[in-house]
């Protein structure tokens, strides 16, 4: 039996020596630095000198099938690094020859340590010229065929650009480095980079979560390439985009890959490398920019809207990780510690300040909300254009209250990023605030089109239909949301729709469904309190308002709690319990209270006819909110009119309210608790009554009754019937006066008998 031949562990070629066991390459005795992947390629080529080693063979031997990499880029990179280390050239090779579309061949003589030449497996020699010629011809045909096929494939890939109507599902990064700081963080960074693009559009996180739910997977499920592609198919998206990061030697390699959701074909891939961890975000930004180009974005927008990722977010991976965890927390109170941590790690992290401002605002920490949003505004020069517009809109809306400037920011954002739902949604909220409901509906419907699974988008569309008195459309929208499993998010709107339709059982069902649910219960209790007061059940309204306030406090919503208490106090004043109302609104106020709580106090003070206190309050209120659109054009004119009425000057009151006319149908407090709507109209009606101008007074109170979808269950919605009766009395129209009084007394047929305004109404009606 012949002795077994052992493969040598040291091979030589030219001036180089390769130790296969040690994994080292030396040039004339000096060790050459070569990374693991290129070394593996060299090993395979040296073991088969003179033979073509196909790319597929290299893939099978080095890149395992379950490893997530872009093979083409990885192979090309390895060959280039190998040639660089050997001082070789692709155009005039001495060691490694490239056979296009096939593979590579090591063409230099390879020997063992004993000088014995390595045999080739191909058996190419001068002894077989005919066979050699046949092989050359065959190879030429194969190469030509491969070239034609490759050209067709290349053209097909080149044509597979996305369009402006396509959407992308962003998957999670495969992290093989063992460093947890990259988990979730790189996906967030990639999202920020891609969202700079006016061309590309990502499926929202809400849309992904809804789709995962339909797939019977948890919302926190890891978005592997397989799951991402299924989400992509279910959302009718065009591409699934996945990423990976690996540590090869001391360098980090990032690869992005976009595949067609329809057939799994590769649409585009990019690769970037970082010398160390501190440069990973920079590498990610470059890879993302290249991906944007390969997916079809124009060079002009790519150059214009391409803020470096480290600038758009933060150069600190740890800060970006904390920011990402805050976004995944699911609610604002939980997000706050993560966002604060992000800012501690990077005090110039503008996006973190902006998100922290929003989180504080949601729980009623108005001072902290203003402080952080203002800081974000100061740092906005560091962020991308899309984030800059968002921060500016947040600042104008939440800090200065300048809705006109906020509207400009949203409108510009919508113009540049027509598929970014935040801009059309924000613009819709501004239009709602200004009372331009048709325009608001258009924007909210566009936001819903872009976010078909978003509960907030559904909520705004349904609510805006209601504001337009299109109650059937509002109900249909609520039903559609319920069919998509978004019932809980629309409970407040469903309650108000039921109120509009006089459906007491449905109102009770919505209140019961929200019981004990943090973030839902308080608003439903507050709405139920207003409904009780609307029908004159003041004792029950007091009890429900206390419950709403306490529920909000338990949920950490301090501002909401104070608003409920302020509204309860104002209600007392409107119903004639002026001293009680003033005391209750005063107790609701704190140093950190927002403008709406202060407005409630100012109105309660005015209805208590406390002239000096109201005057001081109005002056301070005006100085504190010099840019605030709602304060300047809604709150202050109303308070000044009430102050003029205290001084028995109804004409001055009427004049003061002229400036409010363009905004009087709007929602000055925003949100879905509609307590101060149409107060300029109500007070103007009071002024006309005081001036004994019955016809004009009747027109104002009728305006309230004609806009039931705006006023809904506010106390002035019930009181408008009584005031309309008083206006008809001034006109001498007894029949209409009696009818209006009867409408009011019918609403209050079971009212608490000791309410001052009810006693007045009964006495006045008896005289007709």
């Amino acid at each position: 039996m012949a002795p077994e031949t052992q493969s040598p562990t040291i091979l030589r070629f030219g001036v180089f020596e390769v130790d296969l066991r040690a994994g080292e390459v030396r040039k004339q005795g000096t060790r050459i630095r070569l990374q693991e992947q290129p070394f593996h390629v060299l090993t395979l080529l040296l073991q088969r000198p003179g033979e073509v080693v196909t790319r597929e063979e290299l893939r099978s031997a080095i890149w395992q099938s379950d490893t997530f990499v872009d093979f083409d880029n990885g192979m090309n990179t390895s060959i280039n690094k190998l040639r660089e280390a050997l001082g070789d050239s692709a155009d005039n090779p001495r060691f490694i020859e490239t056979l296009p579309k096939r593979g590579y061949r090591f063409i230099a003589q390879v020997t063992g340590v004993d000088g014995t030449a390595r045999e080739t497996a191909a058996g190419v020699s001068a002894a077989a010229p005919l066979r050699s010629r046949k092989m050359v011809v065959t190879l030429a045909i194969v190469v030509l065929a491969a070239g034609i096929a490759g050209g067709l494939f290349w053209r097909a890939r080149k044509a597979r650009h996305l369009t402006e109507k396509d959407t992308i599902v962003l998957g999670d990064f495969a992290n093989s480095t063992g460093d947890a700081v990259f988990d979730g963080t790189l996906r967030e960074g990639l999202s920020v980079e891609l969202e700079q693009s006016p061309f590309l559009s990502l499926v929202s996180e809400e849309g992904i979560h809804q789709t995962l739910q339909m797939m019977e997977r948890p919302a926190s499920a890891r978005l592997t390439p397989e799951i991402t592609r299924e989400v992509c198919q279910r959302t009718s998206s065009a591409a699934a985009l996945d990423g990976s990061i690996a540590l090869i030697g001391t360098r980090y390699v990032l690869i992005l890959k976009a595949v067609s959701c329809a057939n799994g074909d590769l649409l585009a891939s990019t690769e970037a490398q970082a010398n160390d961890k501190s440069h990973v975000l920079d590498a990610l930004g470059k890879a993302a920019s290249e991906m944007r180009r390969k997916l079809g974005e124009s060079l002009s927008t790519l150059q214009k809207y391409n803020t470096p990722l480290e600038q758009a977010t933060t150069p600190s991976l740890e800060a970006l990780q904390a920011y990402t965890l805050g976004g995944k927390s699911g609610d604002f109170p939980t997000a706050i510690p993560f966002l604060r941590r992000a800012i501690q790690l990077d005090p110039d992290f503008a996006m973190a300040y902006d998100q922290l401002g929003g989180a504080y605002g949601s729980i009623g920490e108005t001072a902290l909300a203003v402080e952080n949003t203002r800081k974000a505004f100061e740092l906005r020069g560091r962020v991308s254009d899309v984030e800059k517009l968002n921060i500016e809109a947040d600042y104008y809306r939440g800090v200065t209250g300048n809705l006109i400037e906020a509207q400009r920011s949203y409108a510009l954002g919508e113009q540049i990023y027509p598929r970014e739902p935040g801009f059309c949604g924000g613009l819709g909220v501004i239009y709602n605030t200004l009372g331009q409901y048709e325009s608001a509906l258009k924007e909210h419907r566009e936001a819903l089109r872009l976010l078909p699974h978003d509960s907030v988008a559904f909520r705004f569309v349904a609510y805006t239909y209601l504001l337009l008195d299109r109650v059937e459309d509002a109900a249909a929208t609520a039903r559609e949301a319920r069919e998509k499993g978004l019932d809980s998010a629309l409970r407040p709107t469903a309650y108000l729709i039921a109120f509009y339709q006089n459906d007491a059982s449905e109102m009770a069902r919505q209140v019961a469904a929200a019981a004990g649910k943090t973030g839902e219960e308080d608003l439903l209790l507050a709405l139920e309190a207003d409904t009780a007061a609307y029908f004159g059940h003041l004792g029950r309204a007091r009890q429900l308002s206390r419950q709403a306030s306490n529920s909000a406090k338990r949920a950490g919503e301090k501002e909401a709690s104070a608003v409920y208490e302020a509204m309860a106090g104002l209600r007392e004043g409107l119903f004639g319990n002026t001293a009680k109302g003033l005391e209750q609104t005063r107790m609701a106020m704190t140093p950190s209270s927002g403008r709406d709580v202060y407005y409630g106090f100012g109105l309660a003070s005015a209805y208590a006819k406390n002239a000096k206190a109201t005057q001081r309050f109005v002056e301070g209120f005006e100085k504190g909110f010099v840019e605030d659109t709602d304060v300047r054009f809604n709150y202050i004119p109303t308070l000044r009119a009430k102050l003029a009425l205290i001084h028995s000057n109804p004409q001055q009151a009427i004049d003061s309210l002229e400036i409010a006319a363009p905004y009087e149908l709007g929602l000055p407090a925003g949100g879905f608790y509609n307590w101060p709507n149409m107060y300029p109209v109500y007070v103007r009606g009071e002024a006309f009554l005081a001036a004994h101008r019955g016809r004009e007074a009747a027109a104002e109170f009728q305006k309230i009754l004609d806009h039931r979808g705006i006023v809904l269950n506010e106390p002035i919605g019930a009181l408008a019937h009584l005031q309309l009766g008083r206006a008809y009395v001034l006109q001498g129209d007894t029949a209409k006066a009696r009818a209006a009084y009867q409408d009011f007394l019918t609403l209050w047929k079971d009212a608490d008998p000791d309410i001052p305004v009810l006693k007045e109404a009964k006495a006045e009606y008896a005289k007709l």
Side-chain angles (χ1 to χ4, degrees), residues 475-510:
T477 304
R479 282 195 301 272
E480 183 182 352
R482 186 161 52 247
E483 290 168 0
K484 292 188 175 184
L486 305 174
D487 189 32
S488 62
L490 267 81
R491 281 193 187 115
T493 306
Y495 178 94
L496 292 172
I497 292 171
F499 173 83
Y500 194 106
Q501 296 175 324
N502 299 312
D503 189 344
S505 61
E506 177 62 15
M507 292 159 63
R509 190 184 76 82
Q510 295 297 339

Side-chain angles (χ1 to χ4, degrees), residues 34-304:
L34 190 62
Q35 294 176 357
E36 181 180 4
Q37 214 85 320
F39 184 86
H40 286 328
V41 174
L42 177 62
T43 299
L44 286 174
L45 294 174
L46 290 176
Q47 289 175 342
R48 296 165 59 181
E51 180 182 354
V52 176
V53 182
T54 68
R55 292 174 69 87
E56 189 57 38
E57 288 173 325
L58 289 167
R59 178 203 291 268
S60 300
I62 301 175
W63 285 272
Q64 298 300 317
S65 61
D66 59 349
T67 303
F68 178 79
V69 296
D70 181 347
F71 167 73
D72 290 333
N73 279 335
M75 185 72 254
N76 294 339
T77 299
S78 294
I79 290 293
N80 290 337
K81 289 186 177 298
L82 188 52
R83 283 186 170 131
E84 182 182 347
L86 301 179
D88 202 10
S89 166
D91 297 327
N92 187 25
R94 294 184 299 125
F95 302 115
I96 302 173
E97 178 185 20
T98 299
L99 287 85
K101 307 298 181 183
R102 289 202 63 200
Y104 305 91
R105 176 166 52 201
F106 200 89
I107 58 177
Q109 185 179 39
V110 181
T111 64
V113 289
D114 58 357
T116 303
R118 298 279 288 162
E119 294 182 356
T120 70
V124 179
S125 68
L130 182 60
R131 182 181 174 193
S132 177
R133 284 189 61 190
K134 288 181 179 178
M135 288 183 63
V136 169
V137 173
T138 301
L139 178 62
I141 294 172
V142 170
V143 170
L144 179 61
I148 294 172
L152 292 173
F153 176 67
W154 180 82
R155 284 195 294 272
R157 286 182 62 186
K158 184 178 180 183
R160 285 191 198 130
H161 285 167
L162 302 185
T163 71
E164 292 185 351
K165 295 182 179 179
D166 292 325
T167 54
I168 298 173
V169 178
L170 188 57
D172 284 318
F173 266 71
N175 175 17
S176 63
T177 66
D179 193 337
V181 75
F182 298 118
D183 293 336
T185 308
L186 296 182
R187 183 178 184 272
E188 177 68 27
L190 180 59
S191 175
V192 171
E193 172 65 31
L194 297 179
E195 285 173 347
Q196 296 189 57
S197 168
F199 172 74
L200 299 178
S201 179
L202 302 181
V203 173
S204 69
E205 295 302 299
E206 181 75 16
I208 290 175
H209 293 164
Q210 288 290 329
T211 307
L212 288 172
Q213 184 178 2
M214 289 189 288
M215 294 164 57
E216 298 184 347
R217 294 180 181 272
S220 58
R222 179 169 178 77
L223 294 172
T224 63
E226 294 76 18
I227 292 177
T228 304
R229 186 179 170 197
E230 184 175 351
V231 171
C232 189
Q233 291 170 336
R234 286 174 177 263
T235 55
S236 301
S237 297
L241 182 56
D242 299 293
S244 70
I245 182 169
L247 181 60
I248 300 177
T250 60
R251 294 172 68 85
Y252 291 88
V253 178
L254 295 100
I255 296 173
L256 303 180
K257 182 175 69 171
V259 300
S260 166
C261 300
N263 53 29
D265 286 352
L266 183 68
L267 299 177
S269 61
T270 62
E271 177 184 333
Q273 298 186 18
N275 291 326
D276 52 52
K277 189 161 73 172
S278 65
H279 290 89
V280 165
L281 287 180
D282 180 56
L284 176 62
K286 292 176 180 176
S289 296
E290 180 65 11
M291 178 59 73
R292 288 169 60 181
R293 183 188 67 80
K294 287 188 174 183
L295 289 177
E297 184 170 351
S298 69
L299 185 61
S300 61
T301 62
L302 187 57
Q303 291 176 338
K304 187 174 182 180

Side-chain angles (χ1 to χ4, degrees), residues 364 366 558-559 562 565 585-594 597-598:
T366 306
K558 297 179 182 179
E559 186 73 4
E565 292 174 4
T585 55
R586 182 183 288 114
M587 291 177 62
M589 288 177 34
T590 68
S592 62
S593 291
V597 175
Y598 276 90

